[in-house]
Amino acid sequence: TAWFFRFSTTELKHLAIGTLLVLGVGLSIVPQLSMPVAVETLVVPALIFTLSFISHEIAHKLSAQHYGLWAEFRLTLIGAFITLLSALTPIFKVIAPGAVMIAGPVSQKAMGRTAVAGPLTNIALSTMFILSVSFLKTLFPFSSFLWASIFGAWVNAFIALFNLIPFGMLDGWKVFRWNKMAWGVAFLASAALAIFTFSLLP
């Protein structure tokens, strides 16, 4: 279709601002974790945190465009403000600068598959980070990058699990309405990953 895998100038601007806001939250969260103190321990996990969020949104976009729908990321005023506030305060943390907006005739199947694309991306990333943790534990047991990989595994599992809650505007409700079996498998997988990766945190 004409919109297949395309990014408009407006969308790129919104993505850039959203990325900076999420990065700010990542930089505010990482120092609160019990990780070794080093520059890469702060920067790398914050970048992983940001890329995990952006990958989730891009997965929604590409899936929607695959079905011939118009799909672009847009900031929301309240979401951007809350995310900025989260970056500036030590306790309050909500990451929702915007979302992928979709338009066009869409079936429940296409909507469900588009919704599950984001969490599945985070499940895949969490699994990849777990594999890297196993590798780093063997070769570099005290490396700062080991802790960054553990953080990446956990944060992706958490993003997937949270978004798969079948409630309101979350992805989970759209997936649940489309295919309860698919929702159940994805939800249980993300829950198992969240529990396992949480046990790895220092």
Side-chain angles (χ1 to χ4, degrees):
T1 68
W3 292 100
F4 190 67
F5 297 177
R6 288 180 122 189
F7 293 83
S8 69
T9 302
T10 300
E11 180 180 24
L12 291 174
K13 290 178 182 177
H14 282 240
L15 274 172
I17 297 172
T19 298
L20 289 175
L21 288 170
V22 176
L23 180 61
V25 177
L27 289 170
S28 71
I29 288 177
V30 175
Q32 299 177 26
L33 302 176
S34 302
M35 292 185 175
V37 178
V39 173
E40 65 268 24
T41 309
L42 174 64
V43 176
V44 175
L47 289 175
I48 289 172
F49 180 83
T50 304
L51 290 174
S52 299
F53 171 82
I54 297 301
S55 295
H56 178 102
E57 296 300 329
I58 296 301
H60 285 316
K61 173 188 173 66
L62 298 186
S63 179
Q65 289 185 331
H66 172 73
Y67 287 102
L69 303 169
W70 178 89
E72 292 198 0
F73 179 84
R74 289 291 186 271
L75 293 168
T76 62
L77 184 60
I78 184 65
F81 175 77
I82 290 174
T83 305
L84 177 61
L85 187 64
S86 298
L88 299 175
T89 57
I91 299 175
F92 179 78
K93 301 296 176 187
V94 176
I95 303 93
V100 172
M101 306 300 176
I102 298 172
V106 56
S107 66
Q108 193 171 74
K109 177 180 179 180
M111 180 59 75
R113 288 187 171 183
T114 295
V116 80
L120 286 182
T121 298
N122 295 117
I123 288 172
L125 288 171
S126 180
T127 303
M128 290 172 58
F129 277 116
I130 288 173
L131 294 175
S132 71
V133 167
S134 301
F135 173 77
L136 290 169
K137 269 188 174 180
T138 303
L139 297 181
F140 308 103
F142 302 105
S143 168
S144 296
F145 291 101
L146 169 62
W147 303 111
S149 293
I150 292 173
F151 176 76
W154 171 75
V155 77
N156 275 282
F158 177 80
I159 290 174
L161 180 62
F162 176 80
N163 279 278
L164 283 168
I165 296 172
F167 179 78
M169 297 299 292
L170 294 173
D171 299 330
W173 177 238
K174 298 166 190 164
V175 181
F176 186 82
R177 288 201 319 175
W178 159 58
N179 189 313
K180 293 177 177 58
M181 179 66 72
W183 171 82
V185 171
F187 186 82
L188 288 175
S190 62
L193 284 171
I195 293 170
F196 176 72
T197 55
F198 183 77
S199 70
L200 297 176
L201 289 174

